[in-house]
Amino acid sequence: MLRYNLTYITVPPTGMQQALAGIEQWLKSSPLKGVFLACWVAEIGELSRILLVHGYDVIADIPADREAILYSDNPLGIGSLIVSMETDAYTPLKGLPDILPGAAGPIFEVRTYKLKPGGLTPTLDAWTNAVGPRSAYSQLLSFMYAVGGEIPRIVHIWPYKSLDERLAIRAKTVAEKVWPPVGAPPHLASMRSEIFVPASFSPVN
């Protein structure tokens, strides 16, 4: 089972194309131990943001890679363009398949929920019961919970063919009482939804 590291980079509004070119070149020569899985660009939500996803078989490799970026004199190959950067490690829900390269989107909804204290275990239980029925309607790319930074916090990623497909599927699952997971909403403290689209070189696209 892979673990994941998610890195959010904010760049100047006029610097996106230059940033993507720099990241692509950096990834080609990057000594990181993690497997590069995705580079997505924010389309709806907080803009001028890039999301990088790396997968890890060895948990100890995550802090090693993060330190390599931290101590670099040109982080991600775009040091002069970075307005802000945040990175956190995540553990996926047991039983889910690993994120693998391939066509899945091109629309990726990334939902980040902060939970109330003590809310992680009942949320994991609720999702374990609900993921199977919900996945009959559309793919869940991953559900994961943060093991650093602000906790408890979960992230789930849903790929869609279009925004219209997203709206239709979400409406249908709610109407048919498949979603949200029974027992999960009382543990929510806040919710954020962002729409990303893949960069041309993103393995998951």
Side-chain angles (χ1 to χ4, degrees):
M1 178 176 65
L2 290 179
R3 268 60 171 189
Y4 301 102
N5 196 78
L6 273 56
T7 302
Y8 291 90
I9 308 109
T10 301
V11 300
T14 58
M16 180 59 71
Q17 293 308 312
Q18 184 181 352
L20 290 175
I23 289 173
E24 182 179 16
Q25 184 59 42
W26 175 81
L27 286 166
K28 290 177 179 178
S29 59
S30 170
L32 294 187
K33 302 175 186 297
V35 177
F36 169 51
L37 293 172
C39 178
W40 299 332
V41 177
E43 183 70 17
I44 299 175
E46 186 179 348
L47 302 179
S48 298
R49 292 226 299 171
I50 299 167
L51 172 56
L52 294 178
V53 182
H54 283 80
Y56 293 83
D57 285 314
V58 180
I59 298 176
D61 287 343
I62 297 178
D65 276 359
R66 291 164 71 174
E67 286 194 1
I69 294 172
L70 178 64
Y71 292 127
S72 171
D73 59 1
N74 186 25
L76 307 178
I78 58 166
S80 63
L81 291 172
I82 295 175
V83 174
S84 66
M85 179 168 58
E86 57 186 272
T87 182
D88 276 315
Y90 293 82
T91 297
L93 185 70
K94 289 182 180 179
L96 290 184
D98 292 336
I99 298 176
L100 298 174
I107 300 297
F108 294 90
E109 183 180 20
V110 179
R111 299 181 72 93
T112 303
Y113 295 174
K114 296 177 184 178
L115 305 179
K116 297 175 183 177
L120 181 60
T121 296
T123 298
L124 296 180
D125 290 342
W127 273 75
T128 297
N129 293 329
V131 162
R134 172 60 180 82
S135 295
Y137 293 78
S138 71
Q139 177 190 5
L140 170 65
L141 188 68
S142 191
F143 170 99
M144 57 188 81
Y145 57 92
V147 293
E150 193 168 1
I151 55 174
R153 176 167 42 103
I154 61 173
V155 170
H156 40 117
I157 304 173
W158 302 89
Y160 296 100
K161 299 303 180 188
S162 67
L163 291 175
D164 286 342
E165 181 189 62
R166 171 188 173 272
L167 289 173
I169 290 174
R170 286 182 57 81
K172 187 174 183 180
T173 57
V174 171
E176 296 182 2
K177 302 187 185 306
V178 174
W179 208 250
V182 175
H187 302 286
L188 295 174
S190 68
M191 299 186 294
R192 183 179 72 193
S193 173
E194 299 173 284
I195 299 295
F196 288 84
V197 295
S200 61
F201 55 89
S202 179
V204 179
N205 53 68

